[in-house]
Amino acid sequence: MASVLRFRKLCYVESAVKCTSVGYESFEIDEKLDEKEEDVLSANHFALEINKKRKQPKRQPKEWRCLDSCCWIIGYLCTTWWLLLFCYHCLPVTLLRVPELPGPGVRLKREGLTALHPVVLVPGIVTGGLELWEGRPCADGLFRKRLWGGGSFTQIFKRPLCLLEHLSLHYETGLDPQGIRVRAVPGLVGADYFAPGYFVWAVLIENLAKIGYEGKNLHMAAYDWRLSFQNTEQIRDHALTRLKSKIELMYISNGYKKVVAVPHSMGVIYFLHFLKWVETPPPMGGGGGPGWCAKHIKAVMNIGPAFLGVPKAVSNLFSAEGKDVSYIRAMAPGVFDSEILGLQTFERVMRMARTWDSIVSLLPKGGEVIWGNMDRSPEEGHVCDFSKKSHSKTSLTTNNINNSDVKRGFLVKDLANYGRIISFGKPASVLHSSKLPTADSKEFSRTSTSENFNNFSCGEAWTEYDEMSRQSIQNVAADKAYTTTTLLDLLRFVAPKMMRRAEAHFSHGIAENLDDPKYNHYKYWSNPLETKLSDAPDMEIYCMYGVGIPTERSYVYKLSPNSRCKSIPYQIDNSVHGEDGSCLKGGVYFADGDESVPVLSAGFMCAKGWRGRTRFNPSGIATYIREYRHKPPTSLMEGRGIESGSHVDIMGNFALIEDIMRVAAGATGDEIGGDQIHSDIIKMSERINLGL
Amino acid sequence: MSSLRRRKPINESSDSKHNEEEEDEDHDDVDADGDDDVNGKNKKTPSKIKKKRGEKPPKQPKWSCMDTCCWFIGCICITWWLLLFLYNAMPASFPQYVTEAITGPLPDPPGVKLKKEGLEAKHPVVFVPGIVTGGLELWEGRECAEGLFRKRLWGGTFGEVYKRPLCWVEHMSLDNETGLDPCGIRVRPVSGLVAADYFAPGYFVWAVLIANLARIGYEDKTMYMAAYDWRLSFQNTEVRDQTLSRIKSNIELLVATNGGRKVVVIPHSMGVLYFLHFMKWVEAPAPMGGGGGPDWCSKHIKAVVNIGGPFLGVPKAIAGLFSAEAKDIAVARALAPGFLDNDIFQFQTLQHVMRMSRTWDSTMSMIPRGGNTIWGGLDWSPEEGNSCAKKGEKKNETQIADQAGSENAVCKAKSANYGRIISFGKDVAEAPSSDIERIDFRGAIKGHSAANTTCRDVWTEYHDMGFAGIKAVAEYKTYTADSLVDLLHFVAPKMMARGTAHFSYGVADNLDDPQYKHYKYWSNPLETRLPNAPDMEIYSLYGVGLPTERAYVYKLSPHAECSIPFKIDTSADDEDTCLRDGVYSVDGDETVPVLSAGFMCAKGWRGKTRFNPSGIRTYIREYNHLPPANLLEGRGTLSGAHVDIMGNFALIEDVIRIAAGASGEELGGDQVYSKIFNWSEKINLRLDEEIPVHSSR
């Protein structure tokens, strides 16, 4: 008996490796014969039984193997899951619903507000959906499917390179590459959700619908956000003409009620461009005549406006990274640019992003006058105690107050030189300007470019960095610190083709004399410092943005350690940290803002540049600043928060939604309470010395 | 096995009691296995021993049913995931390879083919979807529809229909008096190309056409889907949503942004009537019209390419309004009697459907127009002598032409009276008109029905009629197109009162009569003139070769209370006269008979007539229906059915050619398979402008 058992066990061990059930059973027969416990069974019976067993092996418990256990477990899980799912679906819908806070729409409806002015929504960069109309063979089956935004980004994981190829534009022209047509998704679906569950405009739309808005008086001005603004009209999509026609139609079909425009992020400068375009005579403009804006537009309610650009765009163009990316890179070095996987994520992303003209439109505008020079900046003396303390501040203890007081005293000493938007090494960002080598644009000469060895060994050049020699790359870093003005020279040096292409469409300066006929050119239209607002004294301009979140303002860079082919030679030096409480963290200096746009860029035009009758605002259009202090969501139920102030989440901020709805229902800026300011924007603006 | 054991400790303990003796043996075994333990496998030993015991016959049912089920489901799940994974990992062009391997190389889709020929996008294209195919979404609703904001109620997956049917019916219904939104509910058409590209997932409507147009360079800026709320009457879409104004503005924009090239309009099904309405509206002065001026159409429209257009209405609409059923439903009802109107489950599906669809004004736009002049009287009809041999025996027919000819003769001998659109009883439908005794229903008194109170809240106007009224309707025996309108007035006075404010079904005597300036005549081709646009072209594209409902045999419903009192008599069959399941069918595209789709282009508008004073050229393009050759083809590339024709390659090619600039002659002029010209000849409709003196007013 024992021997039999041992024998069996051996077999079992073997069978775990590779033992057919046939062999297994044959041993069993032996065993049974030995035991003679059972009723005496004839050989025939045994044979029958074996046959039976072979035919229905699943019935026999002894056949229970690993695979069966797996099957069992999965089956068990599936069944339970289905059961739960079934129960969930059987429940009445109302039972499981999260008791939602009644949005402002419901409340305002009770107050008796109804839809009055048609509303035009203008989405910003990145949030708008893009779909494929014609593509290469690798994009087979994606016709009219979303490549970007809206639905799922599953295609990115399935065929990432194909997607990158299709989302890129032509490097020379900034338009479609041959054989590829990617177009903006029209209609409200174009930008209501960026990804499933991640709302952009959806909350606002839903609340507007509560007081009676619907397709006929609510329009999403979707456009291809990759293109330069004039290109969305002239050569390709006629997006501006369509917007004009749509506004005119809504104006007429809603009983001659003027339109309230609600642009967001980059949409703000797109709409600024539109306002100039529509009054300019054709062929360059829309030929609406000088009174068009006054006749058709009641108010422009800019959400998170990037009027004067965002520093984020600098780091994006310079090294394809932002705050978040550089953190990840610090945490897991080499994941993104792992050579083994051949990923080179950054390089590919940069290659794509640099074909998009629109990013250039977000470079800081106004140069040193606005953004500060080597030694001074309008945000000077900004206290960076927001980083961690914003939660505990509410539950304040004396201890906390003492702490922050100490920090305050300390911080005044350790000032951030925000004006130096890019500095190489921490010393360059801290030292006084006299100790730094001056950045002189004339130094930048690409004579050395020709002696480029990398190019041959690396094959096809991906980014323009590949065309630069090692020497000139180091020269750039040797110049230590760059202000907004010299930054443009820097970009022109490192990416001449891109800047040549984009600067035909955008300008980043300040106009000396706005009557100069050169300012009739469309490239100045999206720069508020180089255009006049249209003659529409009854119009209102709102700047609505969140404050209280650290926002990227300037960067500390270093040379990238790996000098591999096709790599980006610079990266943010995320090892640089200021002392506790400093605005410097992970190589990034932070200022107040909404996480993307600093207060300065969002608020300055409404606070000073356009306030009253200035040369930028000759007809004295009324401007209002509405700031919303960021409060993180108190509980998980709230999702992304109803009092958020961050750049995109603010679209779900109830206070902001209420303001928009009141204006859309006919209120004026004074009726909703005029200015509402939490930040130092007025003080900052005063420090800016701009002739008005 | 061991895991099984662990999950069943109770079982195990009971086992051990029974087998105390054996346990001793087991202990010995453990000792004996000592040498194995040295090898570090001692942990397996006890379970192995238990396993051995499990094999013994008395402990056989270890493997319980539950486990087997779980195992089975697990297997299926794993296989399914594996397949899903393979499917997802599969290159997108794989199915095509398979298809080509089986059936040989597929023909290029027309878009690819024509691109090779060098065609390019030229004229902007406007799509006008038909009834039912356009998506509707919720903008404001009752409490029961919470969470459905901007979700599709109609089109898409229809998931909500099953989850909360009554709520759905409530939201899809319109106000019974005004034909507009009920209070507190706003359901609006989806806008953009997504509105009608797919009706349900995988069931294309416009998608194939759009994809093929995109091949030659069309994109969003050159295509426009004129989505509208198809439940409303045409003029109400303007009153409520300003849809007509939006279409006008969009067409103007398309023309302006495409270098002044006129648009090609492609309406489908009811969209044909809608666009007819639009063309009149846009040239009529504001406030009733769009104020575009008398030459708007000639300035902006190159061609109107009507697909499956029910110019003169469809008989299906009658059955739908009269008893909320059509051929399909009637058959379903015959197969499973009592299921749809099961009292136990309180379904009353048909009543709910009828109640809902009767609030939709648009269904009344499809009632046959032109009365007896077009659709035939008691004893004649234009389709007289139609051969029914086609049905189901198409292949035979091509093979043995002689036999088909002889069958034809038989058919002629005993022809269906298509003119009698509704008859009560088969004998009535077949009898000579002189034999039918008819009692006029029009004066009949409607008794007050007590059923009204007992029938819960389900509401159709039948409940106001009472038994006397229902009887009177049946006594009239048979109805032609003229008396049908009166019949509907009788059975559903409120609905028809609403409907006749928006639609008209007659034939105009004198088109100069100022009454025809009213918008209710605009969608009736027999009561309006086409716009003054001599360069415009009108096409009528439709499928032929499918049996299409033309006339019905009705009976009184056995349980008259709380339900619809009439139903199609599915027992009425007659091989010779195309009567099947109570429905007489003729040639058509399964929904629209050839007569309705083709007559205006074949005769009513051909040349300079009084309906077409500027002599707009008309073309008929018929497409013979061929069922898909195999399953891989899906709904077929040669189909002629009402909706599937949108995927017909020949039709798509024609449309693309027109959009790329071809004229009707370049396309090949008329392409006719049916007897539409013969039938049109039989219709006695005055087409010249001169008005006989006696008939004016």
Side-chain angles (χ1 to χ4, degrees):
Chain A
M1 181 68 210
S3 63
V4 166
L5 264 176
R6 198 178 305 136
F7 199 49
R8 253 194 72 192
K9 190 190 294 163
L10 272 173
C11 173
Y12 186 85
V13 172
E14 265 174 30
S15 79
V17 185
K18 198 172 186 179
C19 181
T20 58
S21 60
V22 183
Y24 183 59
E25 279 172 40
S26 63
F27 284 119
E28 188 190 333
I29 297 162
D30 291 348
E31 166 212 323
K32 278 185 179 170
L33 284 168
D34 278 1
E35 281 182 11
K36 288 177 185 167
E37 273 180 13
E38 317 288 336
D39 313 330
V40 181
L41 293 162
S42 71
N44 284 345
H45 269 108
F46 265 112
L48 269 176
E49 209 175 287
I50 290 160
N51 280 342
K52 241 188 220 167
K53 278 173 194 166
R54 279 184 195 158
K55 270 174 197 165
Q56 311 165 319
K58 307 305 178 214
R59 284 284 169 84
Q60 289 300 327
K62 59 193 157 223
E63 306 266 338
W64 190 274
R65 278 167 306 162
C66 173
L67 193 70
D68 293 319
S69 311
C70 283
C71 282
W72 185 87
I73 288 171
I74 287 167
Y76 193 70
L77 288 177
C78 278
T79 319
T80 324
W81 175 245
W82 287 336
L83 215 70
L84 286 175
L85 212 68
F86 180 74
C87 290
Y88 174 81
H89 280 291
C90 280
L91 284 175
V93 192
T94 43
L95 192 78
L96 273 176
R97 278 195 74 79
V98 180
E100 243 176 47
L101 296 155
V106 178
R107 189 157 47 82
L108 294 179
K109 193 186 178 186
R110 260 183 243 132
E111 273 183 34
L113 261 66
T114 48
L116 186 69
H117 296 281
V119 172
V120 174
L121 311 174
V122 188
I125 196 168
V126 173
T127 47
L130 299 173
E131 61 188 11
L132 184 76
W133 279 86
E134 186 183 338
R136 301 268 154 81
C138 73
D140 219 7
L142 291 183
F143 174 68
R144 282 186 61 223
K145 298 269 186 313
R146 293 237 183 157
L147 294 190
W148 186 269
S152 53
F153 281 94
T154 44
Q155 293 301 335
I156 287 188
F157 302 109
K158 264 192 180 176
R159 25 190 156 173
L161 290 185
C162 183
L163 203 76
L164 283 180
E165 184 187 355
H166 282 82
L167 285 175
S168 299
L169 295 170
H170 193 274
Y171 202 79
E172 306 284 327
T173 60
L175 293 168
D176 289 324
Q178 186 69 36
I180 291 178
R181 282 186 291 152
V182 174
R183 296 288 179 266
V185 178
L188 291 176
V189 285
D192 54 351
Y193 287 94
F194 178 57
Y198 189 85
F199 68 82
V200 181
W201 293 94
V203 179
L204 182 60
I205 292 170
E206 190 165 355
N207 280 295
L208 283 171
K210 291 262 163 56
I211 62 166
Y213 280 92
E214 59 193 44
K216 69 174 171 182
N217 45 19
L218 189 61
H219 174 65
M220 178 77 76
Y223 58 99
D224 188 340
W225 46 263
R226 301 170 304 158
L227 298 186
S228 79
F229 303 154
Q230 193 68 6
N231 275 347
T232 61
E233 163 66 19
Q234 272 191 332
I235 301 167
R236 242 185 54 179
D237 298 340
H238 304 289
L240 296 173
T241 314
R242 292 167 82 155
L243 180 56
K244 173 174 174 248
S245 146
K246 212 73 213 186
I247 290 179
E248 284 167 354
L249 170 68
M250 293 211 294
Y251 171 68
I252 293 167
S253 65
N254 287 288
Y256 300 94
K257 295 278 181 299
K258 293 189 204 173
V259 170
V260 173
V262 188
H264 172 236
S265 184
M266 191 181 81
V268 168
I269 44 182
Y270 185 74
F271 198 73
L272 206 63
H273 186 97
F274 170 77
L275 291 182
K276 285 302 283 186
W277 172 87
V278 76
E279 297 199 342
T280 310
M284 201 193 275
W292 196 92
C293 293
K295 189 181 165 197
H296 291 97
I297 293 178
K298 175 185 186 274
V300 185
M301 309 197 71
N302 303 301
I303 302 176
F307 278 121
L308 303 178
V310 286
K312 235 181 188 173
V314 175
S315 66
N316 192 313
L317 283 176
F318 196 61
S319 68
E321 62 192 340
K323 183 188 61 179
D324 323 321
V325 173
S326 80
Y327 274 146
I328 297 171
R329 195 184 239 178
M331 304 271 246
V335 167
F336 278 118
D337 28 27
S338 149
E339 228 173 324
I340 306 155
L341 295 174
L343 283 176
Q344 298 192 298
T345 321
F346 282 112
E347 287 75 9
R348 289 182 197 278
V349 167
M350 172 180 259
R351 192 185 180 199
M352 174 174 75
R354 280 196 175 178
T355 65
W356 296 344
D357 281 337
S358 57
I359 292 187
V360 179
S361 77
L362 290 172
L363 287 179
K365 289 168 190 159
E368 294 180 7
V369 178
I370 302 289
W371 295 92
N373 56 21
M374 298 297 267
D375 290 320
R376 60 151 285 277
S377 69
E379 287 112 327
E380 238 163 68
H382 175 64
V383 182
C384 297
D385 59 352
F386 41 63
S387 46
K388 287 166 233 159
K389 299 287 175 261
S390 47
H391 304 260
S392 47
K393 229 204 255 174
T394 45
S395 63
L396 62 147
T397 59
T398 48
N399 200 6
N400 245 337
I401 288 171
N402 283 345
N403 265 348
S404 59
D405 274 348
V406 169
K407 265 178 212 147
R408 208 168 287 252
F410 176 75
L411 271 162
V412 177
K413 279 182 268 162
D414 187 20
L415 277 179
N417 284 316
Y418 289 122
R420 302 174 191 178
I421 224 159
I422 286 186
S423 28
F424 281 92
K426 194 188 174 192
S429 71
V430 184
L431 287 175
H432 191 262
S433 63
S434 55
K435 294 172 193 162
L436 286 173
T438 47
D440 187 0
S441 57
K442 276 158 209 153
E443 261 176 49
F444 298 138
S445 60
R446 289 183 76 90
T447 45
S448 53
T449 326
S450 52
E451 42 185 86
N452 185 0
F453 310 104
N454 288 354
N455 209 4
F456 298 105
S457 52
C458 291
E460 183 199 7
W462 276 16
T463 60
E464 291 189 65
Y465 280 128
D466 298 340
E467 291 165 13
M468 284 171 69
S469 71
R470 204 69 212 160
Q471 182 57 40
S472 46
I473 285 171
Q474 258 149 24
N475 275 349
V476 167
D479 279 319
K480 297 300 183 194
Y482 297 87
T483 65
T484 332
T485 314
T486 48
L487 174 83
L488 288 174
D489 295 327
L490 172 67
L491 284 173
R492 273 178 216 130
F493 177 64
V494 299
K497 280 189 209 151
M498 176 190 77
M499 290 303 280
R500 212 176 305 133
R501 189 190 72 223
E503 290 203 317
H505 290 283
F506 298 108
S507 167
H508 300 95
I510 297 179
E512 289 298 320
N513 175 12
L514 280 166
D515 291 327
D516 192 327
K518 79 169 185 182
Y519 288 115
N520 288 334
H521 191 267
Y522 60 78
K523 77 176 191 178
Y524 299 103
W525 289 345
S526 60
N527 183 352
L529 299 173
E530 289 180 310
T531 43
K532 285 179 192 160
L533 286 181
S534 30
D535 179 27
D538 295 335
M539 208 166 97
E540 291 169 329
I541 293 182
Y542 296 80
C543 290
M544 318 169 87
Y545 52 89
V547 294
I549 303 181
T551 308
E552 292 161 67
R553 178 65 171 81
S554 55
Y555 300 92
V556 179
Y557 265 89
K558 66 176 178 192
L559 278 173
S560 177
N562 63 6
S563 54
R564 212 163 24 85
C565 281
K566 292 174 185 169
S567 69
I568 298 164
Y570 310 107
Q571 66 181 46
I572 293 174
D573 188 357
N574 39 43
S575 63
V576 178
H577 291 278
E579 279 116 297
D580 192 26
S582 154
C583 301
L584 177 63
K585 213 172 168 211
V588 182
Y589 281 98
F590 291 101
D592 198 6
D594 68 357
E595 212 164 14
S596 288
V597 184
V599 168
L600 184 70
S601 171
F604 174 73
M605 289 317 288
C606 286
K608 191 173 174 197
W610 287 333
R611 190 50 61 101
R613 255 174 223 270
T614 68
R615 65 190 178 112
F616 301 112
N617 180 9
S619 62
I621 295 171
T623 60
Y624 300 94
I625 292 183
R626 306 284 296 172
E627 291 185 348
Y628 305 89
R629 184 162 280 290
H630 174 74
K631 282 183 200 143
T634 47
S635 66
L636 271 177
M637 301 289 265
E638 264 181 45
R640 286 155 68 202
I642 55 170
E643 290 180 295
S644 175
S646 75
H647 193 58
V648 176
D649 293 356
I650 200 174
M651 313 279 282
N653 184 314
F654 280 6
L656 175 127
I657 291 174
E658 186 179 333
D659 285 348
I660 291 176
M661 289 174 72
R662 283 191 190 280
V663 172
T668 64
D670 293 321
E671 282 165 22
I672 63 169
D675 288 344
Q676 169 184 308
I677 297 178
H678 300 291
S679 71
D680 301 333
I681 179 68
I682 301 289
K683 246 186 275 168
M684 288 182 209
S685 307
E686 269 164 20
R687 290 205 200 103
I688 291 171
N689 183 21
L690 180 70
L692 296 172
Chain B
M1 184 59 221
S2 58
S3 53
L4 188 75
R5 277 285 177 154
R6 261 175 249 133
R7 276 191 314 275
K8 303 209 157 214
I10 306 151
N11 236 358
E12 196 187 324
S13 60
S14 63
D15 290 345
S16 56
K17 273 175 197 169
H18 290 293
N19 301 306
E20 281 173 358
E21 286 179 358
E22 283 171 25
E23 238 167 15
D24 294 339
E25 273 182 21
D26 289 350
H27 284 303
D28 295 340
D29 294 344
V30 172
D31 294 339
D33 285 342
D35 51 350
D36 274 336
D37 293 352
V38 178
N39 293 337
K41 284 157 194 161
N42 49 347
K43 276 189 180 172
K44 276 189 177 172
T45 323
S47 65
K48 198 73 44 56
I49 294 155
K50 280 168 195 160
K51 187 186 179 95
K52 184 203 135 200
R53 263 198 271 135
E55 284 154 17
K56 285 170 189 170
K59 291 144 232 159
Q60 197 70 4
K62 279 286 119 54
W63 188 281
S64 72
C65 172
M66 187 68 188
D67 290 322
T68 321
C69 282
C70 284
W71 180 88
F72 187 65
I73 288 167
C75 273
I76 290 176
C77 276
I78 288 174
T79 325
W80 176 244
W81 289 337
L82 215 72
L83 285 176
L84 213 67
F85 176 77
L86 283 177
Y87 176 79
N88 278 321
M90 179 181 74
S93 50
F94 185 71
Q96 208 187 329
Y97 286 135
V98 176
T99 321
E100 283 183 7
I102 296 172
T103 61
L106 291 175
D108 270 343
V112 178
K113 181 179 144 205
L114 294 176
K115 195 185 178 186
K116 280 180 198 149
E117 278 184 27
L119 261 64
E120 269 177 26
K122 188 172 174 198
H123 295 278
V125 170
V126 176
F127 306 112
V128 187
I131 195 167
V132 173
T133 48
L136 299 173
E137 62 189 11
L138 184 76
W139 278 83
E140 186 183 338
R142 301 267 157 80
E143 266 175 29
C144 68
E146 217 180 328
L148 293 183
F149 174 70
R150 283 187 58 223
K151 296 269 186 312
R152 287 214 182 184
L153 287 188
W154 187 271
T157 57
F158 287 95
E160 297 306 323
V161 182
Y162 305 107
K163 273 199 198 161
R164 20 190 160 173
L166 286 183
C167 182
W168 183 81
V169 166
E170 184 187 356
H171 282 80
M172 286 298 294
S173 300
L174 294 170
D175 188 279
N176 200 32
E177 302 288 326
T178 61
L180 293 168
D181 288 325
C183 193
I185 292 177
R186 281 185 293 149
V187 174
R188 295 286 177 269
V190 178
S191 63
L193 291 177
V194 286
D197 54 351
Y198 287 93
F199 177 56
Y203 191 86
F204 70 82
V205 181
W206 293 91
V208 178
L209 185 57
I210 291 171
N212 279 295
L213 282 169
R215 295 270 186 183
I216 64 161
Y218 279 92
E219 57 187 71
D220 210 49
K221 68 172 173 183
T222 42
M223 285 196 277
Y224 169 64
M225 178 74 75
Y228 58 98
D229 189 337
W230 46 263
R231 300 171 304 157
L232 300 185
S233 76
F234 303 154
Q235 192 68 10
N236 275 344
T237 60
E238 171 66 12
V239 171
R240 200 189 72 179
D241 299 338
Q242 278 86 39
T243 311
L244 296 172
S245 301
R246 291 166 75 164
I247 295 174
K248 173 173 175 252
S249 155
N250 269 301
I251 290 179
E252 286 167 356
L253 177 68
L254 283 172
V255 172
T257 55
N258 286 288
R261 292 192 186 120
K262 298 182 200 173
V263 297
V264 170
V265 185
I266 308 176
H268 172 235
S269 186
M270 193 181 79
V272 168
L273 301 175
Y274 189 73
F275 196 73
L276 210 60
H277 186 96
F278 171 81
M279 284 198 289
K280 288 303 284 186
W281 172 88
V282 75
E283 298 198 342
M288 200 194 274
D295 56 350
W296 194 94
C297 288
S298 70
K299 262 198 239 161
H300 291 94
I301 300 174
K302 177 195 183 257
V304 184
V305 185
N306 303 299
I307 300 177
F311 284 106
L312 304 176
V314 288
K316 228 181 193 174
I318 296 282
L321 287 171
F322 192 59
S323 66
E325 64 191 341
K327 192 179 60 179
D328 323 324
I329 291 179
V331 172
R333 197 185 234 177
L335 288 175
F339 176 71
L340 284 175
D341 29 27
N342 196 325
D343 266 336
I344 304 160
F345 293 112
Q346 308 190 352
F347 278 164
Q348 301 192 298
T349 321
L350 287 184
Q351 283 88 320
H352 279 297
V353 168
M354 175 182 251
R355 188 187 176 194
M356 176 173 77
S357 63
R358 278 197 176 180
T359 65
W360 297 344
D361 283 343
S362 59
T363 51
M364 280 174 276
S365 72
M366 313 272 270
I367 293 174
R369 297 154 198 270
N372 293 3
T373 319
I374 302 290
W375 295 94
L378 282 174
D379 291 322
W380 76 278
S381 69
E383 288 109 328
E384 248 168 352
N386 176 42
S387 153
C388 297
K390 267 188 174 178
K391 271 196 303 180
E393 293 148 46
K394 211 165 299 147
K395 280 171 196 164
N396 280 355
E397 201 182 29
T398 46
Q399 286 163 2
I400 327 157
D402 306 83
Q403 204 178 332
S406 63
E407 262 180 76
N408 236 347
V410 176
C411 266
K412 255 173 205 160
K414 191 184 174 189
S415 172
N417 291 313
Y418 292 120
R420 307 173 189 175
I421 289 181
I422 286 184
S423 5
F424 281 91
K426 188 185 164 196
D427 46 337
V428 177
E430 284 168 354
S433 62
S434 52
D435 293 357
I436 305 170
E437 283 178 41
R438 302 206 297 178
I439 302 163
D440 202 347
F441 64 93
R442 273 161 264 227
I445 308 145
K446 298 176 181 180
H448 192 75
S449 170
N452 207 6
T453 47
T454 56
C455 286
R456 285 175 228 97
D457 57 352
V458 172
W459 186 94
T460 60
E461 285 186 75
Y462 280 125
H463 298 144
D464 292 341
M465 271 177 64
F467 194 67
I470 291 166
K471 201 152 178 188
V473 167
E475 288 290 305
Y476 193 64
K477 296 284 201 292
T478 177
Y479 297 85
T480 61
D482 270 342
S483 48
L484 259 179
V485 179
D486 296 328
L487 169 68
L488 286 173
H489 271 291
F490 181 75
V491 299
K494 283 188 205 154
M495 174 189 79
M496 288 305 282
R498 219 176 55 224
T500 43
H502 288 283
F503 301 106
S504 168
Y505 312 105
V507 180
D509 275 332
N510 176 8
L511 282 165
D512 288 326
D513 194 323
Q515 70 160 346
Y516 289 116
K517 291 211 158 56
H518 191 267
Y519 60 78
K520 77 177 192 178
Y521 299 103
W522 288 346
S523 60
N524 183 354
L526 298 173
E527 290 178 309
T528 44
R529 290 198 179 111
L530 286 180
N532 180 22
D535 294 336
M536 209 167 94
E537 290 170 327
I538 293 182
Y539 296 82
S540 191
L541 285 64
Y542 54 89
V544 294
L546 283 165
T548 308
E549 293 160 64
R550 176 67 171 81
Y552 300 91
V553 176
Y554 265 89
K555 66 176 176 192
L556 282 174
S557 178
H559 41 254
E561 270 188 28
C562 299
S563 67
I564 302 163
F566 310 106
K567 59 156 79 167
I568 294 176
D569 186 0
T570 45
S571 63
D573 272 308
D574 194 336
E575 286 282 314
D576 295 339
T577 52
C578 309
L579 179 64
R580 178 170 288 180
D581 294 337
V583 180
Y584 284 99
S585 30
V586 289
D587 200 6
D589 67 358
E590 213 162 15
T591 301
V592 183
V594 167
L595 187 68
S596 173
F599 173 72
M600 288 316 289
C601 284
K603 189 172 175 196
W605 288 334
R606 195 46 67 103
K608 263 189 215 253
T609 70
R610 63 186 179 121
F611 301 112
N612 179 11
S614 63
I616 296 172
R617 275 153 302 143
T618 60
Y619 301 95
I620 292 182
R621 307 280 298 173
E622 290 183 351
Y623 303 90
N624 222 337
H625 174 77
L626 290 175
N630 56 36
L631 272 178
L632 284 166
E633 260 183 48
R635 286 154 68 201
T637 55
L638 296 166
S639 176
H642 192 57
V643 176
D644 293 355
I645 199 173
M646 310 284 282
N648 185 314
F649 279 6
L651 176 134
I652 291 175
E653 187 178 327
D654 284 349
V655 170
I656 293 179
R657 283 188 191 281
I658 296 166
S663 69
E665 269 83 30
E666 285 162 18
L667 225 61
D670 290 339
Q671 169 183 308
V672 178
Y673 300 106
S674 70
K675 298 186 194 141
I676 178 66
F677 284 112
N678 287 351
W679 293 341
S680 301
E681 283 299 305
K682 288 189 200 146
I683 292 172
N684 182 21
L685 182 69
R686 185 173 49 80
L687 293 175
D688 42 339
E689 194 64 72
E690 296 100 62
I691 311 133
V693 183
H694 61 271
S695 74
S696 63
R697 279 278 176 173

